[in-house]
Amino acid sequence: MYGEVWNNYKKGFKFLLPFILVKVLFESTSLNLEFDKYDFFGKGGNLLKNLSVSKQIIINEAIPILFYIFIGSLFYSFSMVVIKALVNKKDINYKENFKESLGFYLRYLGLNIIISAISIGLIVLGFWGILIPFMVILLILFNVLLIPCDAYLIYYNTSVGEALKKGTALGKKHFGELLLLGITVSIILAIIGGVMALANISPKINPIGSVLMNFASASIGGYLYMFTMTICKKEEKVEEKIIEC
């Protein structure tokens, strides 16, 4: 299925490019959530220190976080509607696609708040140093299982609860494919980062390097979203066959 999605992604790339460029602009500006500058775990897993870090993040990053949650949900629901149209080989009309995405906004926002809350809860486990390995494993499993939820909500126009339930079921069904894709994405980004390091281009201090890395990450992310949407489409065909039987 990777090849099938890749061919569709190449054909529809020009329609996804505006979203990729907006995402690059967002991540290359002061609105980027630079969590890596905070010491989440601290030396020795000091709980009081980590709680202080959490407070610091809330204070310093309040506006970017709120922007990401509320405006980001609108942006991603819009982009997912476009991806759905591409997967179903329909004509792209940004105006109509945007109007359609508005109908998903509150549900998409609610879904992302729930998923983000669960992610934060797992990260909190890392406040205790001994639990860091378990937190990392749970985050990986959690991310793989819930990757299809956003796409499921958009593709089937469902409630938040059904998107979580059915999307997780899809994540479980395609766990191996999604995990392999995630590993491949990580390797590709690591290779790109390595090449940039050899060229003495540091994304942290070089604006061009930052833009290039963000563009690569956003482009690969577009493929991942199309992959999950394709999974939803194939599941629709499976359900139709079951009903016919």
Side-chain angles (χ1 to χ4, degrees):
M1 189 165 64
Y2 299 118
E4 175 189 345
V5 176
W6 174 246
N7 289 331
N8 290 335
Y9 180 67
K10 288 190 296 182
K11 293 177 182 177
F13 184 76
K14 62 182 178 181
F15 297 107
L16 296 178
L17 184 58
F19 297 100
I20 292 173
L21 294 178
V22 170
K23 191 170 187 294
V24 170
L25 178 63
F26 172 76
E27 294 183 346
S28 300
T29 63
S30 58
L31 287 176
N32 184 30
L33 303 182
E34 298 176 331
F35 290 139
D36 58 328
K37 68 185 178 183
Y38 298 101
D39 181 10
F40 278 99
F41 304 115
K43 297 180 180 179
N46 188 301
L47 177 59
L48 292 178
K49 178 178 180 179
N50 289 310
L51 291 175
S52 176
V53 168
S54 299
K55 181 179 179 180
Q56 182 184 0
I57 292 174
I58 293 174
I59 294 174
N60 294 349
E61 308 290 354
I63 293 178
I65 289 174
L66 291 175
F67 183 92
Y68 179 82
I69 291 176
F70 290 96
I71 305 301
S73 292
L74 179 61
F75 171 80
Y76 283 111
S77 61
F78 181 19
S79 64
M80 292 294 274
V81 167
V82 172
I83 290 174
K84 176 185 176 181
L86 290 173
V87 168
N88 287 323
K89 302 186 184 306
K90 294 184 178 180
D91 294 333
I92 302 300
N93 183 315
Y94 291 123
K95 182 178 180 180
E96 294 302 319
N97 294 146
F98 179 71
K99 288 181 179 179
E100 182 181 352
S101 71
L102 292 177
F104 292 104
Y105 175 66
L106 291 178
R107 284 174 288 162
Y108 198 93
L109 173 64
L111 179 62
N112 280 333
I113 288 176
I114 292 173
I115 292 176
S116 297
I118 297 174
S119 295
I120 292 174
L122 292 176
I123 291 175
V124 168
L125 291 177
F127 287 173
W128 289 270
I130 192 173
L131 294 179
I132 291 178
F134 298 100
M135 180 271 291
V136 172
I137 294 174
L138 286 174
L139 271 178
I140 293 174
L141 294 175
F142 165 78
N143 286 326
V144 173
L145 289 174
L146 294 189
I147 280 176
C149 291
D150 291 349
Y152 195 95
L153 187 147
I154 298 296
Y155 194 89
Y156 289 100
N157 191 15
T158 65
S159 65
V160 173
E162 186 174 355
L164 279 170
K165 180 180 178 180
K166 297 291 184 64
T168 302
L170 270 183
K172 183 179 180 180
K173 182 177 180 179
H174 297 274
F175 184 85
E177 296 169 280
L178 291 169
L179 181 60
L180 179 60
L181 182 58
I183 293 173
T184 303
V185 167
S186 299
I187 292 174
I188 292 174
L189 291 177
I191 291 174
I192 294 174
V195 172
M196 293 176 64
L198 290 174
N200 292 322
I201 302 176
S202 174
K204 291 185 177 181
I205 61 177
N206 188 315
I208 295 178
S210 176
V211 169
L212 289 175
M213 181 57 76
N214 289 334
F215 182 81
S217 177
S219 298
I220 294 173
Y223 175 86
L224 179 59
Y225 291 132
M226 183 166 284
F227 189 88
T228 57
M229 194 66 75
T230 302
I231 287 176
C232 292
K233 179 179 180 179
K234 289 187 177 297
E235 187 66 17
E236 181 182 44
K237 294 181 179 179
V238 171
E239 292 179 356
E240 288 176 354
K241 289 182 180 179
I242 294 175
I243 293 175
E244 290 175 358
C245 293

